[in-house]
Amino acid sequence: RAKQAGGQDYCYFTDELTRDAVNRFQMENQLRQALLHKEFFLEYQPRISLVDGSVRGVEALLRWKKVDGTRVSPAEFIPQLEEMGLITSVGEWVLHTACMQASHWQEAGLPPFKVSVNLSARQFQQADLCRVVAKCLEHSGLDPAWLELEVTESLMIQDLGESVTMLNRLREMGISIAIDDFGAGYSSLGYLKHLPVNTLKIDKGFIDELATDVADAAIVQAVINMAHRMGLEVTAEGVEQADQLDLLISLGCEEVQGFYLARPMPVPQLEDWILAPKSYSRHLLPMGLY
Ligand code: C2E
Ligand code: MG
Ligand code: MG
Ligand code: MG
């Protein structure tokens, strides 16, 4: 404490700052090691249709498991990779790996579903993003119709004109675009009509209290109605409970993602899961999904 260290407040802050700097330095070194030693891998979380219970897609999620077995959350290390200027190469690896994987699944005869890949700010602002995406599609042989890119709204409105151009070019390639964490940013609704996207992914923050908070229910209902009138599809993120699922079905939401249905899984587990009978289908099907 500052007092114990001689009553000077700055000692406390200096210690804090030093600790932060040391931590950051350590993490940076560990991330460089991780790249060298291939400690990154992807997990895939299913996105499930509320229309027929089928798997409509999987979201690729980056994972880092250190050699000692500890896992670090992407929420922690992705901003760090971004700061270090490494996110574009890691992001390209994610895109490439996800496209290769999706292509394998199709060749293996699994029922077709989309793979969606998150883009970070730096990646989205990269002038040659389209070239990178085209290269991944070509190498993997994946039909662009089975690739979706997830971009956050705050990222797209940083430069609306540029974003619209980029999104149009990606759409022309046959890829679909989802707005991730919709509603969680500080952006206004006005820009939405300018953005050529296919899907809104409603942020988990609105789903958590959906069954108990009237305001959240009203917001989710409004977003679903608005999206549909604009010709967009809606995915609800972070569905953890049966009553949230019931409400989403009654509100006309067509797709859900969340621990209640399936967690993110490594490849072998996902493949088993896809082929296995679903524990949620007993809950879903009696609802008479339209
Ligand atoms: P996101 O894109 O919104 O991904 C969804 C996150 O919600 C994932 O966290 C997923 O595990 C979690 N999730 C899904 N369903 C539930 C649920 O029912 N309950 C709870 N509590 N969580 C749920 P994860 O994997 O930790 O990723 C966090 C964020 O890191 C992602 O949020 C995304 O913004 C970023 N991220 C992950 N992989 C990548 C990547 O390859 N590239 C980039 N640029 N960002 C990534
Ligand atoms: Mg996402
Ligand atoms: Mg999200
Ligand atoms: Mg996110």
Side-chain angles (χ1 to χ4, degrees):
R1 281 294 141 84
K3 284 270 157 51
Q4 288 157 349
Q8 284 162 318
D9 283 347
Y10 69 83
C11 288
Y12 176 78
F13 292 112
T14 307
D15 283 354
E16 277 283 279
L17 286 174
T18 310
R19 201 161 347 110
D20 279 357
V22 168
N23 283 343
R24 192 154 60 229
F25 180 72
Q26 280 176 346
M27 202 205 272
E28 285 196 10
N29 275 336
Q30 288 175 354
L31 279 168
R32 285 183 219 285
Q33 289 291 104
L35 283 171
L36 277 176
H37 298 128
K38 304 195 182 353
E39 292 167 18
F40 291 119
F41 63 101
L42 297 183
E43 285 190 335
Y44 297 88
Q45 186 180 29
R47 294 166 60 170
I48 287 126
S49 165
L50 292 181
V51 179
D52 60 11
S54 66
V55 178
R56 295 232 305 206
V58 293
E59 177 173 6
L61 294 160
L62 184 58
R63 297 289 179 254
W64 175 22
K65 196 166 145 194
K66 297 193 212 171
V67 267
D68 66 6
T70 49
R71 279 172 170 247
V72 187
S73 155
E76 243 179 90
F77 71 80
I78 285 176
Q80 195 81 18
L81 285 174
E82 184 120 6
E83 247 180 72
M84 293 166 72
L86 291 174
I87 194 67
T88 39
S89 46
V90 175
E92 190 170 335
W93 176 83
V94 172
L95 193 59
H96 188 255
T97 307
C99 288
M100 291 295 282
Q101 188 58 65
S103 178
H104 276 304
W105 279 328
Q106 293 194 358
E107 277 166 25
L110 288 188
F113 50 82
K114 279 186 185 174
V115 66
S116 52
V117 173
N118 293 284
L119 290 187
S120 79
R122 287 270 181 96
Q123 267 181 297
F124 189 67
Q125 285 149 5
Q126 224 185 332
D128 68 343
L129 177 64
C130 287
R131 197 187 50 77
V132 169
V133 172
K135 197 176 72 182
C136 290
L137 289 170
E138 197 186 302
H139 279 183
S140 62
L142 183 69
D143 183 330
W146 299 110
L147 177 63
E148 181 168 84
L149 299 177
E150 298 191 5
V151 190
T152 60
E153 45 187 339
S154 52
L155 207 160
M156 289 191 279
I157 58 160
Q158 280 173 26
D159 187 335
L160 192 58
E162 286 277 312
S163 299
V164 170
T165 308
M166 177 64 85
L167 294 174
N168 276 326
R169 286 171 63 200
L170 290 166
R171 291 285 301 275
E172 277 160 21
M173 292 168 66
I175 292 162
S176 45
I177 310 284
I179 300 188
D180 204 356
D181 308 336
F182 184 76
Y186 292 98
S187 37
S188 80
L189 287 177
Y191 71 88
L192 192 58
K193 68 175 183 181
H194 300 293
L195 292 173
V197 299
N198 306 83
T199 303
L200 301 185
K201 296 188 77 174
I202 302 180
D203 190 70
K204 178 177 185 302
F206 299 104
I207 307 301
D208 285 339
E209 311 291 320
L210 181 64
T212 48
D213 188 315
V214 182
D216 283 332
I219 291 169
V220 170
Q221 173 158 39
V223 169
I224 292 170
N225 292 342
M226 175 188 70
H228 288 168
R229 293 207 54 187
M230 293 172 71
L232 305 178
E233 299 195 331
V234 179
T235 306
E237 290 194 277
V239 177
E240 293 181 341
Q241 296 153 12
D243 52 0
Q244 294 167 339
L245 188 60
D246 289 343
L247 265 165
L248 287 163
I249 292 169
S250 70
L251 292 175
C253 180
E254 59 263 48
E255 190 179 286
V256 284
Q257 181 178 346
F259 293 174
Y260 183 72
L261 299 118
R263 285 182 178 259
M265 292 172 267
V267 172
Q269 218 179 309
L270 181 88
E271 289 171 351
D272 289 346
W273 184 88
I274 296 257
L275 298 172
K278 304 298 179 281
S279 54
Y280 61 78
S281 63
R282 205 153 40 102
H283 171 84
L284 278 187
L285 295 175
M287 299 296 300
L289 298 172
Y290 346 127

